[in-house]
Amino acid sequence: HRAVLPDGRSVAVKVQYPDIRKAMKADLSNLGAMVQVVSRGAGLSEGRAYFAELRDELMKELDYRDEAARGGTYAVAARKTTDLFVPAAVASHTAEKVLTLELVEGETLKEVLARGLSVPNAERMRIARLLIRAIWVPFLTDGVIHADPHPGNFILMPDGRMAVLDFGSVKQLS
C-alpha cells in the first residue's frame, strides 16, 4: 500500500494477512507428512532435512523485522553496483506484521515481460545485465543470495536503475 509518513516521505507498506502464520504452519505440517512418506519410499535420506530447512525459511518470512534486516544485508552487498537500488526500511514504522519501505516508482520486470517483443532488443539486453548484476554481484562479493527472484520483485526505475524488493528469503553463505 502507498502511504505518506508524518514527515512527508512517501512509502510502501506491506501488511501481513491475518492468521497467515497459523495457515502456513498447518499447510507445512501436511506437506511435511507427505515429504516423509515420499522420502522413505524413494530412499532419500536427506528429504526430511531439506524440507525442515525449507519450512524454517518460509516461517522466517513471517517476521517483517527480520525481512527488513535481510534487506539491509542485501543492500550492503549490492552497494558495489551503482545501478541497483534497495529501498531502505523505515524502522519506526516496521513491526513483526508491518513492513514500511521507501517508495520505489517504476515498472516491475513482470510488467516489462508482459509487453513481450514490443520491448526493443537493446532494452531487453540492458534489463538482462541489470538482473544478472542484481543476482550475482551480492553473491560473488558477499555471499548473499536473494532467494526469491520473482519478476515482481524487480522494478525498473525511471533513472535507469533496477530496484530489488522482497527480502523475506535471503541466504548468507560463507
Side-chain angles (χ1 to χ4, degrees):
H1 306 282
R2 287 176 179 261
V4 178
L5 296 179
D7 65 9
R9 285 183 288 166
S10 295
V11 293
V13 181
K14 178 179 174 180
V15 180
Q16 193 172 100
Y17 288 109
D19 297 324
I20 191 70
R21 180 176 295 278
K22 185 173 143 184
M24 278 186 63
K25 277 186 175 182
D27 289 348
L28 289 170
S29 178
N30 291 334
L31 184 58
M34 188 184 321
V35 166
Q36 198 168 34
V37 169
V38 171
S39 292
R40 279 191 200 141
L44 302 171
S45 59
E46 287 86 24
R48 285 185 285 188
Y50 289 136
F51 176 75
E53 181 177 358
L54 173 65
R55 181 196 61 229
D56 293 347
E57 288 299 316
L58 287 172
M59 294 307 292
K60 281 183 192 176
E61 289 195 38
L62 296 177
D63 189 330
Y64 290 167
R65 295 167 300 195
D66 289 343
E67 181 172 343
R70 287 188 296 273
T73 298
Y74 182 90
V76 168
R79 75 181 184 281
K80 296 161 182 77
T81 303
T82 58
D83 50 9
L84 295 180
F85 176 76
V86 178
V90 180
S92 62
H93 289 73
T94 293
E96 181 182 3
K97 297 179 180 186
V98 177
L99 175 62
T100 304
L101 300 171
E102 293 176 84
L103 183 65
V104 178
E105 300 286 352
E107 186 177 28
T108 67
L109 181 56
K110 184 177 180 178
E111 292 166 336
V112 172
L113 290 171
R115 289 193 284 130
L117 294 177
S118 69
V119 179
N121 191 52
E123 178 65 0
R124 286 186 279 156
M125 292 299 108
R126 186 186 76 80
I127 293 168
R129 284 190 298 276
L130 289 170
L131 189 56
I132 288 167
R133 287 184 187 126
I135 293 169
W136 286 102
V137 168
F139 172 65
L140 295 173
T141 60
D142 290 5
V144 175
I145 297 173
H146 186 294
D148 188 11
H150 180 277
N153 291 338
F154 300 95
I155 295 178
L156 299 164
M157 299 169 65
D159 66 6
R161 294 181 295 165
M162 177 179 277
V164 184
L165 307 174
D166 193 349
F167 300 99
S169 186
V170 170
K171 295 293 277 181
Q172 174 76 57
L173 302 176
S174 61

